[in-house]
Amino acid sequence: MEINEDKLLPDYDDLKIEKIKSKDVTWKESIAICKTVRVDEDVNVNKAEYLMLPNTMNHKETEDNLNLVRELSKSEVQSLDANVVLKEILSKWSWQKL
């Protein structure tokens, strides 16, 4: 989802979970701390597409597929180039329309 940066705000609910109560946190700090932000408006997902990735609750997927998704998550968190992992993921699963 692409949202203009000037609309991004800190996610105070998730920051509370991380035991941060300051209202002076920026949206960039919110991403760094809890990997989330918020916006103050509805997000229109009309004609959007999504990709249903395997997770630990989905017992239909193989351990290899679960590890692939974990690798993507880890590479994004570590700010590595996730394109290689994402390309492999896109070769296994297809986009679904809402």
Side-chain angles (χ1 to χ4, degrees), residues 14-31:
D14 277 4
L15 287 165
K16 283 181 194 173
I17 293 170
E18 297 294 328
K19 308 271 192 264
I20 296 174
K21 297 177 183 173
S22 172
K23 295 290 184 185
D24 296 327
V25 176
T26 67
W27 68 264
K28 287 183 181 182
E29 292 168 326
S30 181
I31 287 177

Side-chain angles (χ1 to χ4, degrees), residues 20-80:
I20 296 174
K21 297 177 183 173
S22 172
K23 295 290 184 185
D24 296 327
V25 176
T26 67
W27 68 264
K28 287 183 181 182
E29 292 168 326
S30 181
I31 287 177
I33 295 166
C34 56
K35 311 295 184 262
T36 62
V37 292
R38 66 180 177 88
V39 293
D40 266 347
E41 59 191 54
D42 291 337
V43 177
N44 184 351
V45 293
N46 191 21
K47 298 183 182 178
E49 295 181 58
Y50 68 95
L51 192 63
M52 182 69 77
L53 296 176
N55 59 60
T56 55
M57 300 302 290
N58 183 348
H59 300 291
K60 298 176 186 175
E61 296 292 345
T62 66
E63 190 67 25
D64 287 342
N65 287 346
L66 287 171
N67 288 334
L68 179 62
V69 174
R70 287 182 185 121
E71 186 64 31
L72 175 65
S73 178
K74 183 171 69 174
S75 65
E76 288 179 351
V77 168
Q78 295 175 352
S79 299
L80 299 174

